[in-house]
Each structure stands twice: as C-alpha cells, then as structure tokens.
Amino acid sequence: QVQLVESGGGLVQAGGSLRLSCTASGRTFSTYAMAWFRQAPGKERKFVSAISRSTYYADSVKGRFTISRDNANNTVYLQMNSLKPEDTAVYCCALGISPPYGLSSPYSYDYWGQGTQVTVSS
C-alpha cells in the first residue's frame, strides 16, 4: 500500500512563492510518474504538473511552477512562484504506476494524497 503525504501549503500574497512537497511511503517510486493536481471550491480537479522521464505543465502554470523529484527520499516537489489568486486551491499529489491515459488525466493515477491548501490573497 502506498501513502502520499503533502506539505508546504499555506497563505501567501499574490506574487509570492510556496514549495509543496509530497513524500511517498510503501513503494519505491523512482520509476513511476508523479503529478500534482488542484481543485478549487466548486470546480473540477485540474492537472497542474507531472514528472516522469520529462516534466509537463498546464499552460496556466508554465513558466511559474517547477516540478522536481528526489528519488533517494521518495519525494516530489512543486515550486510555485509568482502566485496568483486564481492559483488558490487544494493541491494533491498523485502516483501513477503505468499511466494509461496520459500524464494529465487523473484516471492515470493509482494513489492520491489528502491534499494541502494553497491560498493566494490579492
């Protein structure tokens, strides 16, 4: 059984930065795809970024967010810069063993964390 635990969320002013972390336990994850999704109140879950052999970003965060991973510590990070109020959401990390629907689809992921709240004030 895999457990994913996120941390690093919080309240920040527009233009500020946050770094989210997601640590996996229960399985060595170096060969698996990892992703971040976010969900704002009343809205559907949306893809933010993924890392496999390469990195992938939603257009809305490209150039502002950076995903990276530390396989030795089973941790994936999301560095978020130049934050905007529209980035406010619960951010969840996900692990995909063999993503069948592409890295931006939530259906490609087998395990999910509980999420961490990110609030950006204007």
Side-chain angles (χ1 to χ4, degrees):
Q1 184 68 17
V2 174
Q3 286 190 319
L4 302 176
V5 179
E6 302 99 334
S7 62
L11 173 64
V12 64
Q13 288 189 328
S17 299
L18 284 173
R19 189 176 81 153
L20 306 183
S21 301
C22 172
T23 300
S25 62
R27 185 185 286 264
T28 301
F29 85 158
S30 61
T31 61
Y32 304 138
M34 298 293 296
W36 289 95
F37 288 78
R38 67 186 181 187
Q39 187 167 18
K43 297 189 177 181
E44 63 181 12
R45 180 178 291 176
K46 289 189 176 180
F47 170 76
V48 176
S49 182
I51 185 166
S52 181
R53 293 185 181 87
S54 298
T55 57
Y56 306 85
Y57 299 94
D59 288 343
S60 59
V61 306
K62 204 171 291 184
R64 300 188 297 123
F65 290 11
T66 303
I67 192 170
S68 61
R69 68 195 299 166
D70 177 354
N71 290 334
N73 292 302
N74 277 10
T75 300
V76 63
Y77 302 99
L78 186 68
Q79 177 67 43
M80 306 185 296
N81 298 328
S82 302
L83 283 161
K84 305 175 181 180
E86 51 264 42
D87 294 318
T88 295
V90 174
Y91 285 69
C92 293
C93 68
L95 182 151
I97 297 173
S98 181
Y101 304 113
L103 293 178
S104 63
S105 171
Y107 299 104
S108 288
Y109 295 90
D110 304 282
Y111 299 98
W112 293 82
Q114 291 297 309
T116 185
Q117 176 71 46
V118 171
T119 303
V120 184
S121 63
S122 57

